[in-house]
Amino acid sequence: MLSRLSAGVLKNAASSGAKKTALGARSSVRYASSNASASTVDAILSSRATLASASLLSVGTIAWYTHLYGTIPFVGEVHASHLSDEGLHPPSYPWSHKGILDTFDHASIRRGYQVYREVCAACHSLNRIAWRNLVGVSHTSDEARVMAEEHEYTDGPNGEGEMFQRPGKLADYMPNPYPNEEAARAGNAGALPPDLSLIVKARHGGADYIFSLLTGYIDPPAGVEIREGMNYNPFFPGGAISMARVLFDGIVEYDDGTPATTSQMAKDVVTFLNWAAEPEHDERKKLGIKAVIIFSTLTALSLYVKRFKWGPIKNRKIIYKPPTDH
Amino acid sequence: MALSTTFYNAFFRRNSVYVGTVFAGAFAFGIGFDLGVTKFYDTWNKGKQWKDIRQKYVQESE
Amino acid sequence: MASVHAVKTATTLAPTVRTLASGVPLPSRLNLNVKAPHDAHAHGHGAPGPRTDVQPRWAGGISRASSGLISKTYTSVSPSTHFQQRFISTSVARKDAPEVPDFSAYRTNTDSNRALSYFMIGSMGVISASAAKSSVSEFLQSMAASADVLALAKVEVDLTTIPEGKNVIIKWRGKPVFIRHRTQGEIEEARSANWKSFRDPESDDARVKKPEWLVMLGVCTHLGCVPIGEAGDYGGWFCPCHGSHYDISGRARKGPAPLNLEIPAYEFSEGDAKLTIG
């Protein structure tokens, strides 16, 4: 059906185009007298003098423009840039949650939380995650409650109008390592450790980038100067990063006996941060499966029903029966 | 042919039965589809989800 | 050679109608608007309306003038340019384009496919209804309280820190909640009162889950002040704003308060050690 239809449309379009060209050809009939003038124009156009003067004109225009504005026209700025300014592109890692049907590895989230708490949380906040968010994801309700109670929160005002300290509750959000941004900068030589809640979404390359950054600390190559207090990391744009390498083999001890190598810890903490950025991830993919199945089925069915409804109309044959004399 | 006729007579002959079947079917389909997708999802992601590793951390004493 | 001359004979026939000087016949008795006679076999064509064998007036036709019969035809002048051009390819009969298009893809055998068609349409109804239902329910769920609000909506209180005969005020959803650890004497006092004669009759049994713990919203039912504990004429609460008195079960006894103090939803957990409000 479709092929026939499009063929007809094409034919119509082609014939209307042909008509136009035919009309055009008719209106621009050339007579013998015009032939001579055309050849004169051709001769002028193809002469050496024309070529030379046109070249001179364009070179002169460009030169004048360059003289006026200091740059060559129509050519973008040319910079002596270096690839390291962009940072090394991270390789694509086979995350356990990479496929469209794959959930997070929740055991990895649990280990990653441990790495965050013992290593990252010294400098980085996790503002948007509350203790209750861990419940049913990586920790039981009781574990989360105990962890929350280890931290003091300021609450109030109480009956006397005073603020008071109380142990954390499930509804509280993860505590900040620094009271404010200035304190954070002062504690880190002027660099602000970013909040990690949405860091996986906030960086190009996402999880791959953060994994590469955490495991990518190397000595600066020959010729690269790194300031005192900075560290070299080829994946960081510019190469010089204030954060030092923090993950070393065995720096944490996992509950479940997983060997805590640098790459294992990096993988776990990135999985945890990816969960923190996308807590809805597992539900989202499940809903995606459902939506794809439902809507593709509905599409197929509606095509069938459309054919069913249009069949008699398309098949209809209109016959004229003239009145007969008898 | 006979089967389709039986089907037709059972569900499609009266519009009230037809519409009723559609709504009852929608209800049953919603539940069944949910269960099916969840089952597939859990099988596909075996051992990765929280419900798979939960029993390791829950104290049975409480 | 004898020349042969053909004999030409001219005959003038008498005209059947009067002829004008110009030679145009003038039929004075001709009625051009006469209807066709009724024809039993005409199949209903044309009998009442204008004659089908005469072209309509707007298209010209025959009229009679003093100069004779005038036949006019109004036609639109065709455009001088060629809007339709015939190309060689179109003039050749195309074998692959028969006059009747191929509709076999559309042809359904309605008799044998009847059950299938109903089934397909029914299935579409089933899936659409299911999708619509989950859309609506998801939308309604999006209007429910979000998880962070729900997390704050519950408050846990450690009851072991409240000694007998003491009031504790905690904040719950922005409102004060009174928790009183009642003594045995207070319980008896609350129970013995003749509650049926009160303004808002309610027994003490209905107001507490455990007699020693009284949990109420600390908002005066009159105009929303916070009553003062262990005050008033009845040993319960006293509202300083307009002088409402509540007894040791939180029932309105005196003053303008129309209702007893409200009881929030609460639960005891871990034996008697913890109280969860909300």
Side-chain angles (χ1 to χ4, degrees):
Chain A
M1 194 271 304
L2 232 152
S3 62
R4 214 185 304 122
L5 177 81
S6 59
V9 169
L10 274 178
K11 210 167 70 187
N12 279 345
S15 60
S16 68
K19 276 175 223 154
K20 272 179 204 154
T21 45
L23 281 171
R26 189 203 299 276
S27 62
S28 67
V29 176
R30 311 194 87 188
Y31 298 99
S33 63
S34 68
N35 276 338
S37 71
S39 68
T40 320
V41 169
D42 279 354
I44 290 173
L45 280 179
S46 58
S47 74
R48 261 159 209 267
T50 312
L51 182 69
S53 55
S55 309
L56 212 63
L57 182 72
S58 36
V59 168
T61 312
I62 292 171
W64 181 242
Y65 183 93
T66 313
H67 170 70
L68 279 183
Y69 299 107
T71 54
I72 298 170
F74 310 123
V75 177
E77 299 263 314
V78 178
H79 292 291
S81 70
H82 196 267
L83 279 180
S84 70
D85 293 344
E86 302 286 322
L88 207 56
H89 281 227
S92 180
Y93 288 105
W95 297 102
S96 60
H97 54 269
K98 196 168 189 178
I100 55 165
L101 303 178
D102 292 332
T103 62
F104 283 125
D105 183 356
H106 285 244
S108 186
I109 294 178
R110 187 184 171 95
R111 291 193 298 269
Y113 170 73
Q114 191 183 345
V115 175
Y116 166 75
R117 179 53 56 206
E118 293 180 15
V119 182
C120 315
C123 301
H124 289 279
S125 56
L126 196 63
N127 279 334
R128 285 158 197 276
I129 298 297
W131 297 104
R132 64 185 162 79
N133 292 123
L134 295 175
V135 176
V137 173
S138 59
H139 294 77
T140 64
S141 175
D142 295 324
E143 285 171 328
R145 194 165 289 147
V146 168
M147 289 191 298
E149 281 166 4
E150 287 168 7
H151 298 270
E152 290 269 301
Y153 285 85
T154 306
D155 201 354
N158 60 8
E160 286 81 45
E162 308 278 325
M163 304 301 276
F164 57 93
Q165 295 292 114
R166 59 159 175 77
K169 294 186 294 187
L170 281 183
D172 288 316
Y173 285 80
M174 299 258 170
N176 291 341
Y178 299 104
N180 48 53
E181 186 184 323
E182 284 70 18
R185 284 193 189 278
N188 289 285
L192 176 70
D195 183 72
L196 294 184
S197 311
L198 295 167
I199 200 79
V200 171
K201 279 179 171 170
R203 293 290 178 271
H204 284 290
D208 290 333
Y209 165 74
I210 294 170
F211 180 87
S212 304
L213 192 77
L214 289 174
T215 56
Y217 284 92
I218 51 171
D219 291 333
V224 175
E225 286 279 329
I226 297 295
R227 269 196 299 127
E228 183 63 30
M230 304 288 272
N231 302 276
Y232 182 74
N233 193 319
F235 294 99
F236 191 72
I241 182 169
S242 293
M243 180 177 134
R245 176 178 170 181
V246 287
L247 296 177
F248 297 94
D249 287 355
I251 198 172
V252 302
E253 197 173 324
Y254 284 135
D255 296 340
D256 54 4
T258 310
T261 60
T262 301
S263 56
Q264 176 71 40
M265 286 184 292
K267 176 239 170 190
D268 288 340
V269 81
V270 170
T271 306
F272 170 72
L273 292 177
N274 204 337
W275 166 79
E278 297 177 88
E280 80 292 349
H281 173 278
D282 292 1
E283 253 337 278
R284 168 163 67 79
K285 285 186 174 171
K286 192 169 161 185
L287 208 60
I289 301 172
K290 287 187 194 172
V292 166
I293 292 176
I294 291 275
F295 287 122
S296 50
T297 315
L298 272 181
T299 309
L301 281 174
S302 51
L303 283 177
Y304 176 91
V305 172
K306 185 258 167 188
R307 293 209 138 193
F308 177 75
K309 295 280 183 197
W310 278 84
I313 298 169
K314 293 243 181 185
N315 269 321
R316 191 164 54 180
K317 194 163 147 191
I318 298 170
I319 296 173
Y320 172 66
K321 276 190 183 165
T324 47
D325 276 336
H326 53 86
Chain B
M1 192 62 199
L3 187 69
S4 70
T5 313
T6 321
F7 241 69
Y8 178 83
N9 287 335
F11 296 114
F12 308 138
R13 184 168 285 281
R14 295 183 69 85
N15 192 48
S16 55
V17 177
Y18 188 47
V19 172
T21 312
V22 164
F23 279 103
F27 185 71
F29 172 81
I31 296 171
F33 186 67
D34 250 20
L35 283 177
V37 169
T38 308
K39 181 125 175 66
F40 161 76
Y41 199 60
D42 291 349
T43 318
W44 184 273
N45 295 298
K46 203 167 184 58
K48 284 165 71 184
Q49 297 187 83
W50 170 245
K51 55 188 154 201
D52 300 326
I53 59 169
R54 179 174 176 272
Q55 78 283 349
K56 279 194 263 180
Y57 305 109
V58 174
Q59 283 99 35
E60 298 300 332
S61 56
E62 284 186 3
Chain C
M1 287 294 276
S3 61
V4 180
H5 292 275
V7 178
K8 203 189 266 180
T9 315
T11 314
T12 307
L13 290 173
T16 52
V17 292
R18 196 157 68 87
T19 309
L20 295 174
S22 60
V24 176
L26 180 66
S28 55
R29 303 281 167 93
L30 182 61
N31 185 1
L32 292 172
N33 293 322
V34 74
K35 303 268 185 242
H38 179 70
D39 184 2
H41 301 287
H43 302 282
H45 295 297
R51 289 175 55 167
T52 49
D53 56 340
V54 174
Q55 58 181 335
R57 184 147 304 171
W58 50 264
I62 307 163
S63 59
R64 201 168 44 202
S66 59
S67 58
L69 277 179
I70 297 171
S71 174
K72 278 185 185 162
T73 309
Y74 307 120
T75 53
S76 334
V77 177
S78 57
S80 54
T81 52
H82 288 188
F83 280 116
Q84 286 190 334
Q85 281 190 330
R86 306 205 72 177
F87 297 102
I88 292 171
S89 60
T90 58
S91 61
V92 175
R94 289 185 56 186
K95 292 284 191 284
D96 60 334
E99 285 180 32
V100 178
D102 178 21
F103 286 131
S104 59
Y106 283 95
R107 213 151 264 156
T108 48
N109 190 340
T110 46
D111 289 334
S112 69
N113 284 348
R114 187 177 56 179
L116 179 72
S117 303
Y118 272 105
F119 175 74
M120 288 298 202
I121 295 170
S123 314
M124 192 162 93
V126 165
I127 297 175
S128 310
S130 184
K133 177 232 154 207
S134 45
S135 307
V136 169
S137 62
E138 289 291 321
F139 175 70
L140 290 180
Q141 273 176 34
S142 75
M143 295 200 281
S146 56
D148 57 333
V149 174
L150 286 181
L152 286 173
K154 275 183 189 273
V155 166
E156 255 183 24
V157 187
D158 191 2
L159 292 181
T160 52
T161 58
I162 307 176
E164 207 170 313
K166 277 281 173 193
N167 275 341
V168 162
I169 303 173
I170 57 155
K171 249 187 194 170
W172 174 68
R173 298 186 192 175
K175 288 177 230 165
V177 171
F178 296 154
I179 303 172
R180 180 163 181 88
H181 196 167
R182 296 196 291 190
T183 61
Q184 203 55 41
E186 287 168 346
I187 296 171
E188 275 161 24
E189 187 193 329
R191 303 252 144 153
S192 60
N194 182 20
W195 55 270
K196 283 180 183 150
S197 63
F198 294 165
R199 180 170 297 162
D200 183 15
E202 205 173 5
S203 75
D204 186 58
D205 257 346
R207 291 180 59 79
V208 291
K209 284 189 179 165
K210 288 189 176 164
E212 57 268 40
W213 294 107
L214 176 66
V215 182
M216 309 180 296
L217 276 186
V219 177
C220 179
T221 52
H222 176 224
L223 283 173
C225 292
V226 178
I228 301 165
E230 294 170 10
D233 295 355
Y234 299 91
W237 284 265
F238 170 69
C239 180
C241 294
H242 302 92
S244 298
H245 297 258
Y246 298 92
D247 68 4
I248 198 64
S249 187
R251 292 174 289 207
R253 297 288 284 269
K254 199 174 163 189
L259 296 170
N260 303 335
L261 288 177
E262 204 183 327
I263 307 285
Y266 63 94
E267 263 174 12
F268 294 96
S269 56
E270 298 175 26
D272 282 352
K274 277 199 172 159
L275 174 74
T276 311
I277 304 170

